[in-house]
PDB file of all heavy atoms in Angstrom:
ATOM      1  N   SER A   8      90.352  98.906 126.465  1.00  0.00           N
ATOM      2  CA  SER A   8      91.060  98.140 125.462  1.00  0.00           C
ATOM      3  C   SER A   8      90.084  97.781 124.345  1.00  0.00           C
ATOM      4  O   SER A   8      88.880  97.855 124.523  1.00  0.00           O
ATOM      5  CB  SER A   8      91.630  96.879 126.125  1.00  0.00           C
ATOM      6  OG  SER A   8      92.716  96.375 125.403  1.00  0.00           O
ATOM      7  N   GLU A  37     115.708 108.308 102.917  1.00  0.00           N
ATOM      8  CA  GLU A  37     117.000 108.846 102.469  1.00  0.00           C
ATOM      9  C   GLU A  37     118.128 108.378 103.399  1.00  0.00           C
ATOM     10  O   GLU A  37     119.301 108.388 103.007  1.00  0.00           O
ATOM     11  CB  GLU A  37     116.973 110.375 102.363  1.00  0.00           C
ATOM     12  CG  GLU A  37     116.709 111.131 103.668  1.00  0.00           C
ATOM     13  CD  GLU A  37     115.234 111.358 103.954  1.00  0.00           C
ATOM     14  OE1 GLU A  37     114.387 110.554 103.518  1.00  0.00           O
ATOM     15  OE2 GLU A  37     114.927 112.363 104.640  1.00  0.00           O
ATOM     16  N   ASP A  56     104.770 102.084 127.256  1.00  0.00           N
ATOM     17  CA  ASP A  56     105.645 103.243 127.446  1.00  0.00           C
ATOM     18  C   ASP A  56     107.107 102.805 127.431  1.00  0.00           C
ATOM     19  O   ASP A  56     107.426 101.665 127.772  1.00  0.00           O
ATOM     20  CB  ASP A  56     105.386 103.894 128.810  1.00  0.00           C
ATOM     21  CG  ASP A  56     104.086 104.677 128.860  1.00  0.00           C
ATOM     22  OD1 ASP A  56     103.381 104.767 127.839  1.00  0.00           O
ATOM     23  OD2 ASP A  56     103.770 105.195 129.948  1.00  0.00           O
ATOM     24  N   ILE A  57     107.978 103.725 127.115  1.00  0.00           N
ATOM     25  CA  ILE A  57     109.412 103.504 127.266  1.00  0.00           C
ATOM     26  C   ILE A  57     109.715 103.592 128.762  1.00  0.00           C
ATOM     27  O   ILE A  57     109.502 104.649 129.366  1.00  0.00           O
ATOM     28  CB  ILE A  57     110.214 104.577 126.511  1.00  0.00           C
ATOM     29  CG1 ILE A  57     109.898 104.520 125.016  1.00  0.00           C
ATOM     30  CG2 ILE A  57     111.705 104.430 126.778  1.00  0.00           C
ATOM     31  CD1 ILE A  57     110.416 105.732 124.227  1.00  0.00           C
ATOM     32  N   GLU A 161      96.353  92.494 130.552  1.00  0.00           N
ATOM     33  CA  GLU A 161      97.437  93.254 131.170  1.00  0.00           C
ATOM     34  C   GLU A 161      98.685  92.377 131.203  1.00  0.00           C
ATOM     35  O   GLU A 161      98.625  91.189 131.524  1.00  0.00           O
ATOM     36  CB  GLU A 161      97.039  93.671 132.590  1.00  0.00           C
ATOM     37  CG  GLU A 161      98.089  94.562 133.229  1.00  0.00           C
ATOM     38  CD  GLU A 161      97.702  95.050 134.614  1.00  0.00           C
ATOM     39  OE1 GLU A 161      96.503  95.046 134.947  1.00  0.00           O
ATOM     40  OE2 GLU A 161      98.620  95.435 135.359  1.00  0.00           O
ATOM     41  N   ASP A 263     107.993 116.584  97.072  1.00  0.00           N
ATOM     42  CA  ASP A 263     106.982 117.565  97.455  1.00  0.00           C
ATOM     43  C   ASP A 263     106.691 117.359  98.935  1.00  0.00           C
ATOM     44  O   ASP A 263     106.569 116.223  99.398  1.00  0.00           O
ATOM     45  CB  ASP A 263     105.703 117.364  96.643  1.00  0.00           C
ATOM     46  CG  ASP A 263     104.630 118.374  97.031  1.00  0.00           C
ATOM     47  OD1 ASP A 263     104.769 119.548  96.658  1.00  0.00           O
ATOM     48  OD2 ASP A 263     103.673 117.993  97.752  1.00  0.00           O
ATOM     49  N   ARG A 269     108.110 112.483  94.106  1.00  0.00           N
ATOM     50  CA  ARG A 269     109.512 112.771  93.819  1.00  0.00           C
ATOM     51  C   ARG A 269     109.667 113.455  92.467  1.00  0.00           C
ATOM     52  O   ARG A 269     108.963 113.137  91.500  1.00  0.00           O
ATOM     53  CB  ARG A 269     110.325 111.469  93.784  1.00  0.00           C
ATOM     54  CG  ARG A 269     110.154 110.592  94.997  1.00  0.00           C
ATOM     55  CD  ARG A 269     110.597 111.203  96.292  1.00  0.00           C
ATOM     56  NE  ARG A 269     111.968 111.660  96.284  1.00  0.00           N
ATOM     57  CZ  ARG A 269     112.627 112.034  97.397  1.00  0.00           C
ATOM     58  NH1 ARG A 269     112.009 111.976  98.581  1.00  0.00           N
ATOM     59  NH2 ARG A 269     113.858 112.468  97.326  1.00  0.00           N
ATOM     60  N   ARG A 272     115.666 115.514  87.686  1.00  0.00           N
ATOM     61  CA  ARG A 272     116.044 116.180  86.444  1.00  0.00           C
ATOM     62  C   ARG A 272     116.373 115.120  85.398  1.00  0.00           C
ATOM     63  O   ARG A 272     116.789 114.015  85.764  1.00  0.00           O
ATOM     64  CB  ARG A 272     117.305 117.031  86.673  1.00  0.00           C
ATOM     65  CG  ARG A 272     117.262 117.957  87.862  1.00  0.00           C
ATOM     66  CD  ARG A 272     116.292 119.068  87.671  1.00  0.00           C
ATOM     67  NE  ARG A 272     116.420 120.053  88.762  1.00  0.00           N
ATOM     68  CZ  ARG A 272     115.415 120.836  89.146  1.00  0.00           C
ATOM     69  NH1 ARG A 272     114.230 120.769  88.562  1.00  0.00           N
ATOM     70  NH2 ARG A 272     115.596 121.710  90.125  1.00  0.00           N
TER      71      ARG A 272
ATOM     72  N   SER B   8     102.328 118.447  93.164  1.00  0.00           N
ATOM     73  CA  SER B   8     102.145 119.235  94.376  1.00  0.00           C
ATOM     74  C   SER B   8     100.658 119.518  94.535  1.00  0.00           C
ATOM     75  O   SER B   8      99.884 119.372  93.590  1.00  0.00           O
ATOM     76  CB  SER B   8     102.933 120.544  94.216  1.00  0.00           C
ATOM     77  OG  SER B   8     103.248 121.103  95.452  1.00  0.00           O
ATOM     78  N   GLU B  37     106.140 110.057 127.848  1.00  0.00           N
ATOM     79  CA  GLU B  37     106.860 109.602 129.037  1.00  0.00           C
ATOM     80  C   GLU B  37     108.276 110.169 129.079  1.00  0.00           C
ATOM     81  O   GLU B  37     108.908 110.215 130.145  1.00  0.00           O
ATOM     82  CB  GLU B  37     106.874 108.070 129.134  1.00  0.00           C
ATOM     83  CG  GLU B  37     107.593 107.334 128.008  1.00  0.00           C
ATOM     84  CD  GLU B  37     106.691 107.017 126.812  1.00  0.00           C
ATOM     85  OE1 GLU B  37     105.717 107.766 126.569  1.00  0.00           O
ATOM     86  OE2 GLU B  37     106.971 106.026 126.116  1.00  0.00           O
ATOM     87  N   ASP B  56     113.815 116.171 102.222  1.00  0.00           N
ATOM     88  CA  ASP B  56     114.666 115.072 102.696  1.00  0.00           C
ATOM     89  C   ASP B  56     115.714 115.610 103.667  1.00  0.00           C
ATOM     90  O   ASP B  56     116.107 116.775 103.595  1.00  0.00           O
ATOM     91  CB  ASP B  56     115.425 114.429 101.521  1.00  0.00           C
ATOM     92  CG  ASP B  56     114.523 113.576 100.639  1.00  0.00           C
ATOM     93  OD1 ASP B  56     113.332 113.425 100.946  1.00  0.00           O
ATOM     94  OD2 ASP B  56     115.039 113.083  99.622  1.00  0.00           O
ATOM     95  N   ILE B  57     116.208 114.729 104.522  1.00  0.00           N
ATOM     96  CA  ILE B  57     117.361 115.046 105.360  1.00  0.00           C
ATOM     97  C   ILE B  57     118.587 115.016 104.446  1.00  0.00           C
ATOM     98  O   ILE B  57     118.888 113.966 103.867  1.00  0.00           O
ATOM     99  CB  ILE B  57     117.520 114.000 106.477  1.00  0.00           C
ATOM    100  CG1 ILE B  57     116.280 113.995 107.381  1.00  0.00           C
ATOM    101  CG2 ILE B  57     118.798 114.241 107.270  1.00  0.00           C
ATOM    102  CD1 ILE B  57     116.228 112.808 108.338  1.00  0.00           C
ATOM    103  N   GLU B 161     109.136 125.304  93.948  1.00  0.00           N
ATOM    104  CA  GLU B 161     110.410 124.633  94.230  1.00  0.00           C
ATOM    105  C   GLU B 161     111.304 125.574  95.011  1.00  0.00           C
ATOM    106  O   GLU B 161     111.398 126.760  94.693  1.00  0.00           O
ATOM    107  CB  GLU B 161     111.081 124.213  92.913  1.00  0.00           C
ATOM    108  CG  GLU B 161     112.341 123.407  93.161  1.00  0.00           C
ATOM    109  CD  GLU B 161     113.012 122.910  91.886  1.00  0.00           C
ATOM    110  OE1 GLU B 161     112.360 122.859  90.823  1.00  0.00           O
ATOM    111  OE2 GLU B 161     114.220 122.610  91.966  1.00  0.00           O
ATOM    112  N   ASP B 263      97.039 101.181 127.268  1.00  0.00           N
ATOM    113  CA  ASP B 263      96.599 100.155 126.331  1.00  0.00           C
ATOM    114  C   ASP B 263      97.359 100.386 125.024  1.00  0.00           C
ATOM    115  O   ASP B 263      97.501 101.524 124.573  1.00  0.00           O
ATOM    116  CB  ASP B 263      95.105 100.264 126.068  1.00  0.00           C
ATOM    117  CG  ASP B 263      94.633  99.208 125.081  1.00  0.00           C
ATOM    118  OD1 ASP B 263      94.548  98.027 125.471  1.00  0.00           O
ATOM    119  OD2 ASP B 263      94.381  99.548 123.909  1.00  0.00           O
ATOM    120  N   ARG B 269      94.896 105.206 129.477  1.00  0.00           N
ATOM    121  CA  ARG B 269      95.768 104.997 130.627  1.00  0.00           C
ATOM    122  C   ARG B 269      95.028 104.309 131.759  1.00  0.00           C
ATOM    123  O   ARG B 269      93.855 104.587 132.007  1.00  0.00           O
ATOM    124  CB  ARG B 269      96.288 106.348 131.150  1.00  0.00           C
ATOM    125  CG  ARG B 269      96.908 107.244 130.113  1.00  0.00           C
ATOM    126  CD  ARG B 269      98.128 106.678 129.456  1.00  0.00           C
ATOM    127  NE  ARG B 269      99.175 106.296 130.384  1.00  0.00           N
ATOM    128  CZ  ARG B 269     100.412 106.006 129.981  1.00  0.00           C
ATOM    129  NH1 ARG B 269     100.744 106.056 128.690  1.00  0.00           N
ATOM    130  NH2 ARG B 269     101.306 105.635 130.867  1.00  0.00           N
ATOM    131  N   ARG B 272      96.438 102.510 139.345  1.00  0.00           N
ATOM    132  CA  ARG B 272      95.949 101.834 140.547  1.00  0.00           C
ATOM    133  C   ARG B 272      95.434 102.896 141.520  1.00  0.00           C
ATOM    134  O   ARG B 272      95.922 104.036 141.517  1.00  0.00           O
ATOM    135  CB  ARG B 272      97.090 101.081 141.231  1.00  0.00           C
ATOM    136  CG  ARG B 272      97.919 100.193 140.337  1.00  0.00           C
ATOM    137  CD  ARG B 272      97.153  98.982 139.878  1.00  0.00           C
ATOM    138  NE  ARG B 272      98.032  98.047 139.165  1.00  0.00           N
ATOM    139  CZ  ARG B 272      97.594  97.214 138.226  1.00  0.00           C
ATOM    140  NH1 ARG B 272      96.323  97.207 137.846  1.00  0.00           N
ATOM    141  NH2 ARG B 272      98.435  96.380 137.635  1.00  0.00           N
TER     142      ARG B 272
END
Side-chain angles (χ1 to χ4, degrees):
Chain A
S8 203
E37 62 272 28
D56 286 358
I57 299 168
E161 185 177 339
D263 180 74
R269 308 298 304 191
R272 310 291 188 206
Chain B
S8 203
E37 63 272 28
D56 287 357
I57 299 168
E161 185 177 341
D263 179 74
R269 309 298 304 192
R272 311 290 188 208

